[in-house]
Amino acid sequence: MLARRLPGLLPPLTADEALEVAAVAAASTAGFRPGQLGERPFRAPHHGASAAALIGGGARARPGEISLAHHGVLFLDELPEFSRAVLEALREPLETGFVAVSRAALQAEYPAAFLLVAAMNPCPCGERGEASGLCGCTPAQLRHYRNRISGPLLDRLDLHVELARVPVQEFAPAARGESSAQAAARVARARTLQLARQGTCNARLDEGGVQRWCVPDEAAARLLDEAMQRLRLSGRARARVLKVARTIADLEEAATPGLAHVAQALALRCPDRATAPSAPCDRPPA
Ligand SMILES: [Zn+2]
């Protein structure tokens, strides 16, 4: 439900982005419907989908779901149920925003700059951690289930969020906090800041861009160095933490990512290792 609402929180597509989305759809088997023009894509392929359907390919080297999700959201529910080959093929486009599709004599490159949202259960039966106490999964079953997601793919997911079952009273209208319109306005302001500063959004900054535009203050830099060692973060993870910290700072319209921003970015990347899961995110990891 949350993933489906995400495109509505993102800023409207620019004219160029809308054309790119339309061009990819026109090249796909589904084709382009004029009524879709300007809609931010949301794609939620089934875990049984083939590699060609997801990544692109087939006899005519058509774009796959990851390209149909260009400039939008790709939602993979039940992530461990997807084939390992498909999941590993996501790594390259997640870095570059492009995918090369080749079939026999045909070669094509399609854009694939999508926002990946993936969901999985805490264990094969889905009851782990619930008060029901119904989970009977063994440690070996748990390990097998979690090992279906490779370390390098996990490394490319910036935010790891545990969601508990929602108590029924939270569905009441009175319990609702910030409205979608307010959240969307905050996102749009942050995006405008990013484009004015660096010409692209934080997620699309390359290594040089991260070094130039995502410089934390001194205390935050020390925290990050220390966390790199303690959490054994890769260089890639470090750059990704900095981009998330920069984004959190932008949402608060802060000029420089500070301690609280970097701490929150770390807590979102490694919720079970950076801080206690219930600790507020504005506190540096203990
Ligand atoms: Zn279980």
Side-chain angles (χ1 to χ4, degrees), residues 191-221:
R191 171 74 63 111
T192 305
L193 275 177
Q194 294 168 21
L195 295 181
R197 180 175 61 229
Q198 65 215 14
T200 184
C201 62
N202 294 344
R204 296 283 143 219
L205 286 175
D206 59 13
E207 188 55 43
V210 172
Q211 282 179 20
R212 178 153 183 214
W213 301 113
C214 304
V215 184
D217 70 19
E218 213 174 298

Side-chain angles (χ1 to χ4, degrees), residues 58-279:
R60 294 179 158 201
R62 301 268 202 194
E65 290 290 337
I66 64 169
S67 293
L68 290 166
H70 182 54
H71 289 314
V73 175
L74 178 73
F75 177 48
L76 303 183
D77 199 6
E78 307 280 357
L79 189 65
E81 305 297 332
F82 283 83
S83 89
R84 183 82 179 220
V86 164
L87 294 182
E88 292 308 294
L90 290 175
R91 281 161 51 178
E92 182 72 22
L94 278 171
E95 287 297 307
T96 61
F98 283 93
V99 62
V101 175
S102 54
R103 282 296 172 277
L106 278 173
Q107 292 216 337
E109 189 181 65
Y110 294 112
F114 53 90
L115 201 167
L116 173 64
V117 181
M120 65 186 283
N121 283 317
C123 67
C125 82
E127 293 290 335
R128 191 164 188 272
E130 293 292 339
S132 65
L134 289 174
C135 173
C137 300
T138 64
Q141 282 173 321
L142 198 60
R143 222 172 17 251
H144 177 72
Y145 181 68
R146 295 197 172 171
N147 281 349
R148 292 196 207 166
I149 320 286
S150 75
L153 179 61
L154 273 180
D155 209 32
R156 287 165 171 83
L157 300 177
D158 293 336
L159 319 179
H160 298 195
V161 183
E162 231 174 84
L163 293 173
R165 221 174 276 273
V166 180
V168 69
Q169 58 271 27
E170 287 195 15
F171 285 98
R176 286 182 195 147
E178 186 180 39
S179 73
S180 298
Q182 285 167 325
R186 218 150 48 86
V187 172
R189 272 200 304 280
R191 171 74 63 111
T192 305
L193 275 177
Q194 294 168 21
L195 295 181
R197 180 175 61 229
Q198 65 215 14
T200 184
C201 62
N202 294 344
R204 296 283 143 219
L205 286 175
D206 59 13
E207 188 55 43
V210 172
Q211 282 179 20
R212 178 153 183 214
W213 301 113
C214 304
V215 184
D217 70 19
E218 213 174 298
R222 267 201 308 278
L223 171 69
L224 184 57
D225 287 348
E226 185 266 334
M228 284 274 295
Q229 295 195 340
R230 192 166 45 86
L231 304 172
R232 292 186 294 122
L233 296 183
S234 66
R236 175 186 296 112
R238 182 181 188 277
R240 287 179 165 271
V241 167
L242 282 171
K243 288 193 217 185
V244 172
R246 175 74 268 179
T247 303
I248 298 167
D250 288 338
L251 285 166
E252 293 177 5
E253 302 183 39
T256 305
L259 196 61
H261 307 129
V262 168
Q264 190 176 359
L266 284 167
L268 285 166
R269 167 163 290 266
C270 319
D272 44 348
R273 288 180 293 162
T275 64
S278 58

Side-chain angles (χ1 to χ4, degrees), residues 22-32 60-63 110:
V24 174
S28 75
T29 47
F32 172 69
R60 294 179 158 201
R62 301 268 202 194
Y110 294 112

Side-chain angles (χ1 to χ4, degrees), residues 39-57:
E39 254 176 47
R40 217 172 254 283
F42 177 84
R43 309 290 303 188
H46 186 261
H47 55 72
S50 67
L54 266 140
I55 309 301

